[in-house]
Amino acid sequence: MSTHPGTTVTPTHFRSVMRHLPTGVAAICSADPRTAEPCGLIVGTFASLSLDPAWVTFNVARTSTSWPRIAGSGRFSVSLLADGQQAVCAALSGKGADKFRSLDWEMSAYGTPRIRGSLGWIDCLLLRELDGGDHLLIIAEAQEMTAADRGDPLVFHGGRLGGLRGPQPAV
């Protein structure tokens, strides 16, 4: 609950309104600096922050057990998930040690896992973690990036994952 007097915005109310805003889905992945095992998480808040310098941003829950492993390496890859990669989202959103067991991925030149079949990949260097209430606001520098030739993004909207176009009519 907000600490500002007179507010009527509860976490439940906030979520019920914000679910009307569609967001892209991105996988944030790194190699655990202690074990070299891949680790990752899913965010729906990934965005460009600055063109010059080339900075990106996203939010991660303070309760995340994956983020400290990713942050400890100081670098990570961002895989911009494509429509049809709902299973990737489910695997990286779950709890457990081996989230990558069922995923199709490859190691980037920076030593960070990239999810194959994604629409784009951005290799990043962690710059800052800022206070964002119950989340951390992450700022990172994009060091290398590439995009697929085509495809639609995986989108989270109204509590559901899907593509921009929704179900397609039979041809």
Side-chain angles (χ1 to χ4, degrees), residues 140-158:
E141 181 179 358
Q143 298 198 301
E144 187 174 322
M145 55 192 340
T146 188
D149 290 336
R150 64 179 63 118
D152 287 331
L154 183 60
V155 177
F156 183 73
H157 178 254

Side-chain angles (χ1 to χ4, degrees), residues 9-169:
V9 179
T10 64
T12 302
H13 182 212
F14 187 83
R15 183 178 291 121
S16 73
V17 172
M18 294 305 294
R19 70 189 311 240
H20 295 285
L21 178 66
T23 62
V25 182
I28 310 295
C29 303
S30 191
D32 186 312
R34 293 167 295 149
T35 64
E37 294 295 319
C39 54
L41 56 86
I42 294 293
V43 299
T45 56
F46 185 79
S48 62
L49 178 63
S50 169
L51 294 175
D52 188 14
W55 287 358
V56 297
T57 185
F58 60 92
N59 305 327
V60 63
R62 288 184 181 274
T63 57
S64 171
T65 56
S66 297
W67 176 247
R69 297 171 64 203
I70 294 168
S73 74
R75 66 174 51 255
F76 52 86
S77 68
V78 180
S79 296
L80 306 174
L81 298 188
D83 186 16
Q85 289 188 301
Q86 287 87 335
V88 172
C89 184
L92 292 177
S93 295
K95 303 286 184 200
D98 192 6
K99 296 180 181 184
F100 285 76
R101 179 180 42 243
S102 64
L103 300 183
D104 186 11
W105 62 279
E106 63 190 7
M107 199 63 84
S108 77
Y110 292 89
T112 57
R114 290 181 177 172
I115 306 300
R116 287 191 178 113
S118 296
L119 295 179
W121 301 269
I122 306 167
D123 291 299
C124 298
L125 180 65
L126 177 62
L127 296 177
R128 293 183 184 90
E129 292 181 357
L130 303 172
D131 179 22
D134 61 359
H135 280 65
L136 295 169
L137 173 68
I138 308 304
I139 299 174
E141 181 179 358
Q143 298 198 301
E144 187 174 322
M145 55 192 340
T146 188
D149 290 336
R150 64 179 63 118
D152 287 331
L154 183 60
V155 177
F156 183 73
H157 178 254
R160 295 183 309 243
L161 287 171
L164 288 175
R165 303 168 203 268
Q168 299 297 307

